[in-house]
Amino acid sequence: MIVIDYSDKRPIYEQIIERFRNLILSGVLEDNEKLPSVRALAIELSINPNTIQRAYSELEREGFICSVKGKGNFVNLNKSLMEVEQSRMLQELKTHLKKCKDFGIDVSQIEDCVKETFEEVTR
Amino acid sequence: MIVIDYSDKRPIYEQIIERFRNLILSGVLEDNEKLPSVRALAIELSINPNTIQRAYSELEREGFICSVKGKGNFVNLNKSLMEVEQSRMLQELKTHLKKCKDFGIDVSQIEDCVKETFEEVTR
Amino acid sequence: MIVIDYSDKRPIYEQIIERFRNLILSGVLEDNEKLPSVRALAIELSINPNTIQRAYSELEREGFICSVKGKGNFVNLNKSLMEVEQSRMLQELKTHLKKCKDFGIDVSQIEDCVKETFEEVTR
Amino acid sequence: MIVIDYSDKRPIYEQIIERFRNLILSGVLEDNEKLPSVRALAIELSINPNTIQRAYSELEREGFICSVKGKGNFVNLNKSLMEVEQSRMLQELKTHLKKCKDFGIDVSQIEDCVKETFEEVTR
DNA sequence: GTGGTCTAGACCACG
DNA sequence: GTGGTCTAGACCACC
């Protein structure tokens, strides 16, 4: 479920955070579903439990999961969170597009990209 | 011309690199144009000259500028470099679009974004 | 009567203790009134009976309830306990007010707060 | 400047956070002032640098300080932050007052408390 | 068993 | 010298 890319320059805990965020927002992990325990995941990924702990804490702070002492960590999906996240992504996309424009990339190339990505849905 | 954002978590030298790269690729800095000297820029931004030096070295390594001993650093724009950069950006865009799709963002919203950005060109 | 808030970071048993303390001190639960049995409450809240037991034990130790073997747990309201509790709350309030002052909050704002809260009594 | 209370049940890092928050919001630490370095403070308080680091990270996340790699941590006071914090405190106060009311504490006692606290200002 | 905190000590990137 | 990340191993409270 989770893969660590050691060639990635970002810290491990951040990779884990992003991965879970995606799994939750894309619906792979359902609401209230239990996440692997701190220790179990640490062993599975052969990394230190502290690193997992840190990732989970951050995810809880962001409202993606809910951690209950003695019980575990649970997915905490709520609509408003998804909306916030989506608008954040669109904002990022705009910045990116602006940069593409500045670099002289043509609209048609962008549109091809979009088509290509979203046609995969119909497959 | 160059602004440092201390709230930005990226290292200063990287901010400078990205800024120059953009200025060059977007055509604001013309081919063979002289860049500010290491010392002058360091004073202007009130940062360590080593940091500027590091940015310039990296830019030279990437082929964006050309450093001439005793004379200064000069923009070194060449076509193939631009093409490489453009294809890199499109690749990044694809990754981003894929993520948008996973998060349930609609194609129409993306298309609106694209239109919005590129209509600014005609203004 | 009792609600558990899993997003609350305090342990469950403490939430239960506080809730009962409030119910007793505010007079909702009358003197000598019988509390729900450990097992019944555990089932109702779908939590471990041990947790309820721990809360009841603590409440007994503090003198708020009285546990009678084979019969159940009963509210044990006595005047001195209320006075102790009230002075503790006033002490807490003072600490809080001190902090408000340090943060530059004006007296008038505090007074408005007080009025607002206690006017509700007359409704 | 910072004192750790080991009898306090809250974690050390939280005590440090709260202390700095107060020092900043009450104006003892001025804007852009440099905080003690992670290691220096750790030695001074004879605790682990990681614990200080955690406190500083949290303070940065909350927007109270700004940490710059290789330079240090700096106070980052902005008005909106203070307003948010003040309204948060008033909200807390309301909750507290509500509880006092429920426990049968008289308005006059509260008002005495308020007077007592704010008269100290004129001393 | 679970999560949460802390220590000790190491390594890295940055300025 | 600065902050940031990670590991190893420990202890605690909770359920």
Side-chain angles (χ1 to χ4, degrees):
Chain A
M1 196 124 101
I2 306 287
V3 187
I4 296 178
D5 174 8
Y6 284 100
S7 69
D8 191 331
K9 280 191 306 184
R10 291 174 312 164
I12 297 175
Y13 77 92
E14 215 170 282
Q15 292 182 42
I16 296 171
I17 289 171
E18 204 208 357
R19 186 80 182 109
F20 272 117
R21 235 190 320 223
N22 289 357
L23 287 170
I24 291 169
L25 287 169
S26 64
V28 176
L29 289 175
E30 289 177 21
D31 201 11
N32 294 319
E33 190 169 340
K34 190 176 181 302
L35 269 57
S37 84
V38 173
R39 289 165 176 76
L41 189 54
I43 292 168
E44 191 191 322
L45 302 178
S46 350
I47 61 175
N48 193 291
N50 283 333
T51 307
I52 307 288
Q53 177 75 299
R54 179 162 183 183
Y56 278 7
S57 304
E58 184 83 357
L59 283 166
E60 190 191 17
R61 201 182 53 67
E62 293 177 2
F64 287 97
I65 68 173
C66 172
S67 108
V68 185
K69 230 181 201 167
K71 299 192 100 180
N73 292 274
F74 302 87
V75 174
N76 182 20
L77 190 54
N78 61 68
K79 235 181 160 184
S80 76
L81 198 63
M82 273 196 76
E83 281 163 11
V84 167
E85 203 62 22
Q86 286 187 1
S87 81
R88 210 180 51 71
M89 293 211 66
L90 280 174
Q91 198 50 51
E92 249 184 58
L93 184 65
K94 273 181 196 165
T95 315
H96 203 345
L97 286 172
K98 181 84 171 53
K99 226 161 112 184
C100 287
K101 199 191 68 181
D102 286 345
F103 282 19
I105 294 177
D106 201 71
V107 205
S108 63
Q109 284 176 284
I110 306 286
E111 282 167 349
D112 287 351
C113 252
V114 176
K115 265 182 206 156
E116 196 184 313
T117 309
F118 281 84
E119 265 169 8
E120 288 178 8
V121 181
T122 62
R123 275 188 209 163
Chain B
M1 197 125 101
I2 306 287
V3 187
I4 296 177
D5 176 8
Y6 281 102
S7 69
D8 190 331
K9 288 286 87 181
R10 291 174 309 168
I12 295 174
Y13 79 92
E14 211 172 301
Q15 290 183 44
I16 296 171
I17 290 172
E18 202 208 359
R19 187 84 183 108
F20 272 118
R21 227 180 338 208
N22 289 357
L23 289 170
I24 291 168
L25 288 169
S26 63
V28 176
L29 289 174
E30 290 177 19
D31 200 13
N32 295 318
E33 191 169 340
K34 190 178 182 298
L35 268 57
S37 82
V38 172
R39 265 175 42 197
L41 191 53
I43 292 168
E44 191 191 321
L45 302 177
S46 21
I47 61 175
N48 197 309
N50 288 332
T51 309
I52 306 289
Q53 187 55 56
R54 179 161 182 183
Y56 278 6
S57 305
E58 183 72 7
L59 283 166
E60 192 187 14
R61 205 183 54 72
E62 293 179 3
F64 286 97
I65 69 173
C66 174
S67 145
V68 184
K69 238 180 197 159
K71 298 193 103 181
N73 294 274
F74 302 87
V75 174
N76 180 25
L77 191 54
N78 60 67
K79 243 183 165 174
S80 75
L81 201 61
M82 275 196 72
E83 280 163 10
V84 168
E85 202 61 22
Q86 286 185 2
S87 82
R88 207 182 49 74
M89 293 214 63
L90 280 174
Q91 198 47 53
E92 249 184 58
L93 185 65
K94 272 182 198 164
T95 315
H96 201 342
L97 285 171
K98 179 82 172 54
K99 226 162 113 183
C100 287
K101 199 192 70 181
D102 286 344
F103 283 19
I105 295 177
D106 202 73
V107 204
S108 62
Q109 284 177 285
I110 307 283
E111 282 166 349
D112 288 351
C113 253
V114 176
K115 266 183 205 155
E116 195 185 312
T117 309
F118 281 85
E119 265 168 8
E120 288 177 8
V121 180
T122 64
R123 277 187 207 161
Chain C
M1 196 123 101
I2 306 287
V3 187
I4 295 177
D5 175 8
Y6 281 102
S7 69
D8 190 332
K9 287 287 84 181
R10 292 174 309 169
I12 295 175
Y13 78 93
E14 212 173 300
Q15 291 184 43
I16 296 171
I17 289 172
E18 203 209 359
R19 186 81 184 109
F20 271 118
R21 228 183 334 211
N22 288 357
L23 288 171
I24 291 169
L25 288 169
S26 62
V28 176
L29 289 175
E30 290 176 21
D31 201 12
N32 294 319
E33 191 170 341
K34 189 175 183 300
L35 269 56
S37 81
V38 172
R39 266 175 42 197
L41 191 53
I43 291 168
E44 191 191 321
L45 302 177
S46 18
I47 61 176
N48 196 310
N50 289 332
T51 308
I52 307 288
Q53 186 54 57
R54 180 160 181 183
Y56 279 6
S57 303
E58 184 73 8
L59 283 166
E60 191 186 14
R61 205 182 54 72
E62 293 177 3
F64 286 95
I65 67 173
C66 174
S67 141
V68 184
K69 240 181 195 157
K71 297 193 105 183
N73 294 274
F74 301 88
V75 174
N76 179 24
L77 190 56
N78 61 68
K79 242 182 165 175
S80 75
L81 200 61
M82 275 196 73
E83 280 162 12
V84 167
E85 201 61 21
Q86 286 185 1
S87 82
R88 206 181 50 71
M89 292 214 63
L90 280 174
Q91 198 48 52
E92 248 184 59
L93 184 65
K94 273 182 196 164
T95 314
H96 201 344
L97 285 171
K98 178 83 172 53
K99 225 162 114 184
C100 287
K101 199 191 69 181
D102 286 344
F103 282 20
I105 295 178
D106 202 72
V107 205
S108 61
Q109 285 177 283
I110 307 283
E111 282 167 349
D112 287 351
C113 254
V114 176
K115 266 182 205 156
E116 197 185 310
T117 310
F118 281 84
E119 265 169 7
E120 288 178 9
V121 181
T122 63
R123 276 188 209 162
Chain D
M1 196 124 102
I2 305 288
V3 187
I4 295 177
D5 174 7
Y6 284 100
S7 68
D8 191 331
K9 279 190 306 182
R10 291 174 312 163
I12 297 175
Y13 78 93
E14 215 170 283
Q15 292 183 42
I16 296 171
I17 290 171
E18 204 207 357
R19 186 84 182 106
F20 271 116
R21 234 188 322 219
N22 289 357
L23 287 171
I24 291 169
L25 287 170
S26 63
V28 176
L29 289 174
E30 290 177 21
D31 201 12
N32 293 321
E33 191 169 340
K34 189 177 182 302
L35 269 57
S37 85
V38 173
R39 287 166 176 75
L41 189 54
I43 291 168
E44 191 191 322
L45 302 178
S46 350
I47 61 175
N48 192 291
N50 283 332
T51 308
I52 307 288
Q53 176 77 300
R54 178 161 183 183
Y56 278 7
S57 303
E58 184 81 359
L59 283 165
E60 190 192 16
R61 201 181 53 68
E62 294 178 2
F64 288 97
I65 68 174
C66 171
S67 107
V68 184
K69 229 182 200 166
K71 300 192 100 178
N73 292 273
F74 303 87
V75 174
N76 181 19
L77 191 53
N78 61 67
K79 236 182 160 181
S80 75
L81 197 63
M82 274 197 74
E83 282 162 11
V84 167
E85 204 61 22
Q86 286 186 2
S87 80
R88 210 181 50 72
M89 293 212 64
L90 280 174
Q91 198 48 53
E92 251 184 58
L93 184 66
K94 272 181 198 166
T95 315
H96 203 342
L97 285 171
K98 180 83 173 52
K99 226 161 111 184
C100 288
K101 199 192 69 180
D102 286 344
F103 282 18
I105 294 176
D106 201 71
V107 204
S108 62
Q109 284 176 284
I110 307 283
E111 282 167 350
D112 287 351
C113 251
V114 176
K115 267 184 204 153
E116 196 185 313
T117 309
F118 280 85
E119 264 168 8
E120 287 177 10
V121 181
T122 64
R123 274 187 210 162

